[in-house]
């Protein structure tokens, strides 16, 4: 009765080893997906969809890493002619950025990234080999 838990641990490690042997045949890449958008809601939705798709395929996922928001500001005079009270308009555009790292073969990434991407979200995929 005491050896029962050990047997299941050995079985689990054997399965993991077999899984790694299967993975060794296919070249595993580190895929970095960079998402940029002005709309946070759409950006977070695309992030959640990508990560859900990757986890369904049992891939190793890191992220979403939230990078600092870039704020582009333009301050301009309201008056077109320069007369009158000095009143100013302050416009700003916020650009939000997310990083997601996946560790998988490149064929699987094509399936994951083929999801519907919300309007206004830019997707950039870079692939690097793991040594």
């Amino acid at each position: 009765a005491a050896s029962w838990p050990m047997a299941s641990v050995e079985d689990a490690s054997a399965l993991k080893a077999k899984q790694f042997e299967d993975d060794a045949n296919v070249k595993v890449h580190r895929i970095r997906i960079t998402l940029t958008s002005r709309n946070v809601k759409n950006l977070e939705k695309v992030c959640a969809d990508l990560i859900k798709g990757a986890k369904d395929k049992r891939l190793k996922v890191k992220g979403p890493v939230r990078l600092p928001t870039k704020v582009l500001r333009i301050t301009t005079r309201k008056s077109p002619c320069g007369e009158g009270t000095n009143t100013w308009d302050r416009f700003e555009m916020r650009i939000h950025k997310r990083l997601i790292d996946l560790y998988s073969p490149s064929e699987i990434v094509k399936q994951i990234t083929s999801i519907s991407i919300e309007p206004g979200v830019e997707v950039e995929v870079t692939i690097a080999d793991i040594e």
Side-chain angles (χ1 to χ4, degrees), residues 7-116:
S8 64
V9 171
E10 288 170 5
D11 292 344
S13 64
L15 281 171
K16 265 214 167 107
K18 186 173 183 282
Q19 186 179 2
F20 281 123
E21 285 172 18
D22 293 346
D23 290 349
N25 299 339
V26 181
K27 183 78 172 143
V28 175
H29 301 285
R30 181 188 58 111
I31 289 97
R32 175 162 283 176
I33 302 172
T34 308
L35 303 165
T36 53
S37 176
R38 292 181 289 162
N39 188 333
V40 181
K41 197 173 172 186
N42 288 355
L43 185 66
E44 289 292 336
K45 185 178 182 309
V46 173
C47 275
D49 290 347
L50 280 172
I51 289 170
K52 185 175 175 290
K55 293 212 170 159
D56 288 346
K57 299 241 187 287
R58 290 187 168 79
L59 299 179
K60 187 177 173 191
V61 181
K62 285 188 179 177
V65 178
R66 291 166 178 85
L67 296 176
T69 304
K70 288 186 181 140
V71 183
L72 308 177
R73 288 194 179 92
I74 292 179
T75 306
T76 181
R77 281 284 303 273
K78 280 187 182 178
S79 167
C81 63
E83 282 191 23
T85 313
N86 291 351
T87 51
W88 297 82
D89 264 331
R90 293 184 293 277
F91 299 101
E92 67 176 35
M93 179 168 67
R94 292 170 174 261
I95 297 172
H96 307 273
K97 198 170 186 179
R98 303 283 185 269
L99 282 183
I100 299 172
D101 278 343
L102 302 174
Y103 297 92
S104 73
S106 53
E107 293 82 44
I108 296 175
V109 175
K110 289 184 185 124
Q111 298 166 9
I112 295 168
T113 53
S114 64
I115 60 158
S116 63

